[in-house]
Amino acid sequence: MDILKTKNMTKSFGGVVANKDLSLTIEEGKITAFIGPNGSGKTTFINVVTGVHPITSGEIFFQDKEISKYESNQISRLGIARTFQKIRLFDNLSVIENVLVARKSFYKSGPISVVFNTKKFREEERQNKEKALELLDLVGLKDKAYESPKGMAYGLRRCLEIARALALEPKLLFLDEPAAGMTRDEFKVIMDLMLVLRERGITTVLVEHTMDFIKAVADWVYVLNFGEIIAKGPFDEIEKDPVVLKAYLGEE
Amino acid sequence: MKKKIIFGLIGLAVIFLFPIIDNNTYHLYLLNRALIHAILATGLVFLTGFAGQISLGQAGFYAIGAYSSAYFSTRLGLPIFLGIIIGIGISVLAGFLLSIPSFKLKAFFLSLVTIAFGQIINMLVVNLQPITGGPYGFFGIPFYHVGDYMLSFENVFWLLGVILLFTLYIMYKIKHSHYGRAMLAMNSDDVATETCGISTKKLKIAAFGFSAGLAGLAGALYAHLAGFLSPEPFTFFESSNFVAMAVVGGLRDMLGGVVGGIGLTLLPEFLRFGGWENYYLMVTSIIVIVIIIFMPKGLAPLLGNMFKKIFRVKSSNTKTL
Amino acid sequence: MLQDILQNIISGASIGATYGLVGLGVVFLWLTISRINFANISSAMLGAYLFITFYGMNLGFFLSFVFSVALIALYGLGLRQFIYEPIRKRGGGRLEFVVATLMLCTFWLNLIIVAYGALPRPFPPVFGKSTDFVSIGSIKISVLYLNIYFVIAILMVLIYILLNKTLIGKSFRAAAQNREAAALMGINVKFTTSLSFMMATCVVGIAGILLAPIYFVSVELGGGAIGVKGFASAVLGGLTNPYGTILGGVCLGVLENFSTLYISSTYKDVISFSVLILVLIIKPSGIFNWKSKRV
Ligand SMILES: Nc1ncnc2c1ncn2[C@@H]1O[C@H](COP(=O)(O)OP(=O)(O)OP(=O)(O)O)[C@@H](O)[C@H]1O
Ligand SMILES: [Mg+2]
């Protein structure tokens, strides 16, 4: 089963074509990796699918539903979550509040219930806090729940961003270079986490430069160069593909 | 915790008893205006400090609230209460409208649009003479009354106080809910907020609507307090005073609007009667600039810390006793 | 009929070009510091009042003009030194600058009222009287407007030379793009910022002296409406294009004159306000913003 499908997806910024006629599928329940040299359009792919940048032409289907014209928030509510290459946390909120922001669409209480502090609202608030703490526990941040994320270590901030994405209860999760700038130990935490997520049935799309990481977790790999797919397949095959080697070596 | 609440209640009681201690009519009138400004500035704290949007056209909503309530209660004979509700309603609708540019625009560009909005409303106030009375003014607006009983300035002070407290309560509850968190998130990063499944458009509409509603409420309350309206209090300069109140009070503080609204209403009057009758507005603007440069967080957090210190000293004193 | 139309275009364009000058004050600052000074229009009022003060001391047109402009330049320097820099150094953001300059606007207005009273004063007929005409065929053009054109033409040439034939234009752009990088390139950012503040206040001051014969010397020069017209002109030029800004102002002025002629004078100010809103919503990068650089 394909959870996501793109048809001739193209994105250009002025003259630069960052994604060119991409037609690809992401299989449900698997970990799919995107690799490619700098500037090959990996982040752009995530940005267009998650509605952060409007698509130039082509179509995107999520569970057979066309989402090309949807706003970012609608796409997120359908169950597509993401992290950013350059971490984007809400530094004016505490750690747990960051996670709770992504729980907003699970609340049913309107402003009136909030103002009158109804039982229903308090119950919802309790449940969502519990859920948020559970997610923080999963990424190892439970004991920092009420601190500010502002000065936290890079690895912890990345984990918080993942917890926030998971708070959407996504079916499809995009991680844009989650291991970049991480220590070996932190790196291991993320890798284990990805395997846990796969067990839970969450489809993950991973953009990474670290080949060890991809080798360890990816079920399927797409290789991008200049906005186009130049190779696809399991990592062991891709690794030896002369086209891929050339793309990487040609860059260096 | 309990101690805090008791101290808070005593503080409130003192404030509410104030009109009985000092019942000079002019002082009471001023205090009432201060409370009205506090309500309006609280709306701006919500819009700017929480939701991260800006409005330099708040006097426009203030005018809409004032003239609507005046018109419906004076010309159409509706009860004051209904006039105020209608005033708020029309302001909120105008606020929804002004939120549209904020979908695309930020900071300076948004402030330019809001200035133009304020100017257009001012223009309408001056030129729609059959409704507003134009430069000649709108007379005979009924003062606060319940049936045949005319409220005194003291009564109005208490009424406004209760409205302000209620406003603060609503804001407090909203801030500590999923809505408030979403607003603060949008203030920090709107792209990330969208990817959390939150429509920032809806939030902006709500934030503009809420602050416009409070400005409309303030305008309506002012209309019935003054009994007379002219275009002067609804200019660009009033809009900038309103923003100054919010900023001087403290945009990130629940009580910023209250501190700024009351402070910047009373300060010019202190100056005026303290021997600066010619220069009081100049001096006020200088003081505001100095506060903005040297205390960018505003006065409310400063006062908050001061109170905390005083309390601590007191509690330790009672212990040693 | 045709004559009316032409005359309206000519007078509208000259007033409009002055709005454009007010807009230039916005553009010069935006180019270097990406901030809007909401007390921009105060310089116009200050320029006009300084001019009549010096003129009243029998200094004559030329000296009065030079002295007023020099003082206004000094004021621009002060603006940078005492408002912009302290806010920037203390980590204050855009909002702090917005409110500080708004308050400055109030300050100058009240200072003028205290010093000169709130009543408008006549402006000496240094640019001729609006009732003196020069005839070109059947069209009569007021000397007043011709002289305004003359001053603006000289100014535009000066600005063109300054921005395109000297290093100033280049350093403006560099400072706008990246303070640190500009500093590395050997551009004196402090000097560039000072210069942009001075140029901004000076053009607006001169605009004030040109507008005074039309609006009288009154606090209205420092008030909302003309200020918004300046903003509207600048927005038409995308906040970055000085010539587009003047052109934008000219269009506003002409539009205003025609609406007075065919609709009603009471709503003529609404035009600028609506243009400002519409342009920002539909095309925030400006209408007259050719060779547009990203704002
Ligand atoms: N917002 C934008 N505006 C203009 N051009 C952009 C924008 N985002 C990306 N690009 C361009 O699109 C191309 C692809 O960029 P993208 O960020 O998708 O690459 P990437 O594969 O993620 O690279 P990296 O490995 O460095 O993260 C680049 O040429 C980049 O300059
Ligand atoms: Mg990338």
Side-chain angles (χ1 to χ4, degrees):
Chain A
M1 244 299 269
D2 298 328
I3 192 166
L4 188 89
K5 196 164 91 191
T6 66
K7 255 189 180 165
N8 301 330
M9 185 185 122
T10 298
K11 174 69 193 175
S12 44
F13 298 102
V16 182
V17 184
N19 281 171
K20 198 166 166 189
D21 271 337
L22 289 184
S23 296
L24 55 84
T25 57
I26 306 286
E27 196 178 340
E28 188 160 6
K30 296 279 161 61
I31 297 178
T32 307
F34 278 74
I35 59 172
N38 290 110
S40 55
K42 307 179 294 289
T43 299
T44 304
F45 175 74
I46 299 180
N47 282 341
V48 174
V49 172
T50 55
V52 169
H53 289 321
I55 193 168
T56 307
S57 67
E59 287 150 2
I60 304 166
F61 299 89
F62 176 65
Q63 295 181 322
D64 296 326
K65 185 179 192 158
E66 196 188 339
I67 57 165
S68 330
K69 300 275 171 336
Y70 279 31
E71 283 179 19
S72 190
N73 66 79
Q74 295 171 302
I75 294 170
S76 312
R77 282 202 301 277
L78 285 177
I80 302 183
R82 67 170 291 176
T83 63
F84 294 88
Q85 183 169 353
K86 188 167 169 283
I87 299 177
R88 298 177 87 147
L89 290 175
F90 307 122
D91 282 332
N92 55 350
L93 296 174
S94 68
V95 165
I96 188 172
E97 282 171 328
N98 264 273
V99 180
L100 280 169
V101 168
R103 295 294 299 173
K104 171 152 185 298
S105 48
F106 295 90
Y107 280 77
K108 293 198 179 60
S109 309
I112 305 285
S113 316
V114 168
V115 169
F116 292 104
N117 204 15
T118 59
K119 207 170 163 212
K120 185 178 133 213
F121 170 64
R122 277 176 311 191
E123 180 59 20
E124 264 185 348
E125 189 80 350
R126 195 189 59 74
Q127 280 170 2
N128 282 297
K129 274 192 179 146
E130 210 167 83
K131 174 85 191 170
L133 284 173
E134 205 181 294
L135 288 168
L136 287 175
D137 197 21
L138 180 71
V139 299
L141 272 171
K142 195 173 179 184
D143 52 330
K144 296 203 164 48
Y146 294 94
E147 293 174 18
S148 163
K150 216 170 188 170
M152 274 181 1
Y154 188 84
L156 295 182
R157 284 172 67 82
R158 177 62 79 191
C159 286
L160 174 56
E161 209 193 14
I162 295 175
R164 187 181 71 188
L166 290 174
L168 277 170
E169 298 182 9
K171 301 184 184 94
L172 175 59
L173 174 66
F174 287 95
L175 299 176
D176 198 346
E177 304 201 14
M182 286 210 166
T183 62
R184 209 73 203 169
D185 294 343
E186 290 168 338
F187 184 117
K188 188 79 177 48
V189 171
I190 303 246
M191 217 154 78
D192 293 342
L193 182 62
M194 291 195 59
L195 298 174
V196 171
L197 294 180
R198 182 164 61 185
E199 253 161 55
R200 292 190 182 182
I202 297 175
T203 315
T204 309
V205 174
L206 174 70
V207 168
E208 251 313 325
H209 285 296
T210 324
M211 292 304 153
D212 296 350
F213 193 163
I214 294 184
K215 193 180 177 114
V217 301
D219 300 304
W220 190 261
V221 180
Y222 284 110
V223 187
L224 286 183
N225 198 18
F226 295 114
E228 286 179 289
I229 297 176
I230 56 165
K232 58 185 172 185
F235 186 78
D236 308 334
E237 283 175 26
I238 294 295
E239 205 177 16
K240 294 172 204 119
D241 193 325
V243 184
V244 178
L245 291 175
K246 190 171 164 245
Y248 270 92
L249 293 177
E251 277 288 308
E252 308 298 273
Chain B
M1 192 60 210
K2 259 193 188 146
K3 215 179 215 168
K4 247 188 198 170
I5 294 173
I6 291 169
F7 273 119
L9 285 178
I10 293 174
L12 275 180
V14 171
I15 294 169
F16 270 53
L17 285 176
F18 184 85
I20 294 172
I21 304 162
D22 177 2
N23 53 10
N24 174 318
T25 319
Y26 185 67
H27 289 180
L28 279 177
Y29 175 77
L30 268 183
L31 277 178
N32 284 333
R33 290 212 56 180
L35 290 184
I36 288 173
H37 288 158
I39 293 172
L40 191 146
T42 298
L44 270 175
V45 165
F46 187 87
L47 181 72
T48 310
F50 295 176
Q53 310 301 306
I54 191 169
S55 168
L56 298 184
Q58 217 63 2
F61 301 119
Y62 192 54
I64 291 174
Y67 280 97
S68 307
S69 187
Y71 186 82
F72 282 97
S73 58
T74 314
R75 301 273 191 272
L76 302 183
L78 292 184
I80 290 184
F81 172 70
L82 272 184
I84 294 177
I85 299 281
I86 294 174
I88 296 174
I90 302 179
S91 281
V92 170
L93 288 181
F96 289 161
L97 206 68
L98 194 63
S99 73
I100 295 172
S102 75
F103 297 167
K104 260 200 202 166
L105 304 173
K106 282 208 179 98
F108 288 110
F109 292 87
L110 185 58
S111 35
L112 288 179
V113 173
T114 56
I115 286 181
F117 163 80
Q119 292 281 19
I120 287 177
I121 299 294
N122 184 258
M123 193 103 238
L124 291 176
V125 167
V126 174
N127 289 311
L128 285 181
Q129 270 195 34
I131 297 173
T132 64
Y136 306 108
F138 191 125
F139 290 90
I141 305 164
F143 191 74
Y144 296 91
H145 59 88
V146 181
D148 284 340
Y149 175 72
M150 274 291 170
L151 268 63
S152 63
F153 271 174
E154 285 94 332
N155 298 152
V156 175
F157 178 81
W158 292 323
L159 174 71
L160 294 176
V162 170
I163 294 177
L164 177 61
L165 281 181
F166 187 61
T167 308
L168 289 172
Y169 171 75
I170 291 179
M171 199 159 97
Y172 179 83
K173 290 311 288 183
I174 298 264
K175 189 189 177 190
H176 294 91
S177 74
H178 48 300
Y179 294 108
R181 285 190 292 263
M183 298 251 173
L184 289 168
M186 173 170 75
N187 189 351
S188 149
D189 185 334
D190 43 4
V191 172
T193 307
E194 281 270 330
T195 62
C196 287
I198 294 164
S199 162
T200 50
K201 277 185 191 166
K202 277 190 195 155
L203 280 184
K204 285 171 183 171
I205 294 174
F208 268 97
F210 185 74
S211 81
L214 285 182
L217 167 65
L221 292 171
Y222 168 69
H224 296 287
L225 176 70
F228 158 80
L229 292 177
S230 70
E232 277 86 58
F234 307 109
T235 58
F236 169 62
F237 294 100
E238 255 337 273
S239 287
S240 43
N241 278 341
F242 293 149
V243 179
M245 286 171 188
V247 174
V248 163
L251 282 174
R252 293 295 160 90
D253 202 290
M254 279 293 304
L255 295 179
V258 179
V259 172
I262 295 178
L264 284 194
T265 311
L266 299 186
L267 171 70
E269 299 299 327
F270 278 125
L271 291 171
R272 177 140 74 136
F273 295 106
W276 294 80
E277 44 292 272
N278 286 328
Y279 310 105
Y280 69 103
L281 287 174
M282 276 164 62
V283 177
T284 308
S285 32
I286 293 289
I287 291 177
V288 172
I289 294 174
V290 168
I291 291 177
I292 288 168
I293 293 176
F294 293 99
M295 284 171 256
K297 289 217 170 84
L299 294 177
L302 214 72
L303 290 179
N305 285 342
M306 243 159 71
F307 274 118
K308 264 184 210 150
K309 266 187 199 147
I310 293 169
F311 277 129
R312 240 177 250 147
V313 171
K314 264 193 188 151
S315 51
S316 62
N317 274 354
T318 46
K319 262 176 211 156
T320 48
L321 281 172
Chain C
M1 186 61 207
L2 183 70
Q3 196 178 320
D4 271 1
I5 291 176
L6 274 174
Q7 246 145 28
N8 265 293
I9 290 179
I10 288 165
S11 66
S14 84
I15 296 175
T18 330
Y19 301 157
L21 285 187
V22 176
L24 277 188
V26 178
V27 171
F28 288 153
L29 273 198
W30 187 266
L31 278 175
T32 52
I33 61 167
S34 298
R35 296 266 189 285
I36 289 178
N37 166 15
F38 285 92
N40 183 48
I41 193 63
S42 304
S43 310
M45 178 179 69
L46 293 178
Y49 276 95
L50 282 173
F51 183 87
I52 57 161
T53 309
F54 287 125
Y55 198 79
M57 292 154 74
N58 287 324
L59 291 178
F61 171 79
F62 186 72
L63 275 185
S64 308
F65 188 84
V66 170
F67 283 171
S68 328
V69 174
L71 274 184
I72 295 272
L74 209 61
Y75 160 61
L77 209 57
L79 206 55
R80 191 202 78 103
Q81 194 62 36
F82 299 115
I83 305 279
Y84 171 68
E85 288 294 344
I87 290 178
R88 196 177 65 80
K89 280 192 191 126
R90 282 166 190 279
R94 302 189 188 107
L95 193 72
E96 281 76 14
F97 192 70
V98 169
V99 181
T101 53
L102 283 171
M103 286 299 110
L104 200 62
C105 194
T106 312
F107 170 79
W108 287 121
L109 206 69
N110 288 303
L111 182 105
I112 291 292
I113 292 175
V114 169
Y116 292 86
L119 289 179
R121 300 184 170 215
F123 189 79
V126 289
F127 297 116
K129 291 198 281 272
S130 57
T131 45
D132 292 341
F133 289 101
V134 173
S135 298
I136 304 174
S138 62
I139 305 164
K140 289 201 233 157
I141 304 172
S142 159
V143 175
L144 177 64
Y145 294 131
L146 276 185
N147 282 326
I148 291 181
Y149 276 124
F150 180 67
V151 176
I152 289 177
I154 293 178
L155 264 180
M156 288 318 291
V157 171
L158 275 177
I159 289 169
Y160 178 81
I161 293 172
L162 225 53
L163 289 185
N164 293 293
K165 302 289 165 202
T166 67
L167 282 176
I168 291 169
K170 205 185 251 174
S171 53
F172 268 27
R173 265 163 257 143
Q177 269 148 18
N178 190 336
R179 279 186 87 89
E180 284 82 45
L184 285 179
M185 278 162 62
I187 286 165
N188 187 339
V189 177
K190 200 173 167 190
F191 173 78
T192 309
T193 330
S194 301
L195 193 70
S196 72
F197 267 98
M198 280 156 62
M199 281 170 67
T201 48
C202 278
V203 277
V204 182
I206 295 173
I209 298 172
L210 294 178
L211 279 165
I214 301 158
Y215 281 82
F216 292 107
V217 182
S218 71
V219 283
E220 204 167 312
L221 281 175
I226 300 178
V228 175
K229 288 170 196 180
F231 289 138
S233 317
V235 162
L236 279 168
L239 292 192
T240 47
N241 188 324
Y243 319 104
T245 300
I246 297 284
L247 184 61
V250 167
C251 290
L252 282 181
V254 173
L255 260 176
E256 256 181 36
N257 253 11
F258 277 105
S259 71
T260 312
L261 198 63
Y262 295 111
I263 309 170
S264 128
S265 66
T266 40
Y267 290 104
K268 82 169 194 201
D269 287 348
V270 171
I271 291 192
S272 305
F273 305 153
S274 321
V275 165
L276 181 58
I277 294 181
L278 287 179
V279 173
L280 280 176
I281 291 178
I282 297 165
K283 201 162 178 294
S285 59
I287 305 285
F288 304 124
N289 189 14
W290 50 89
K291 66 172 180 182
S292 116
K293 281 165 237 74
R294 275 174 61 89
V295 180

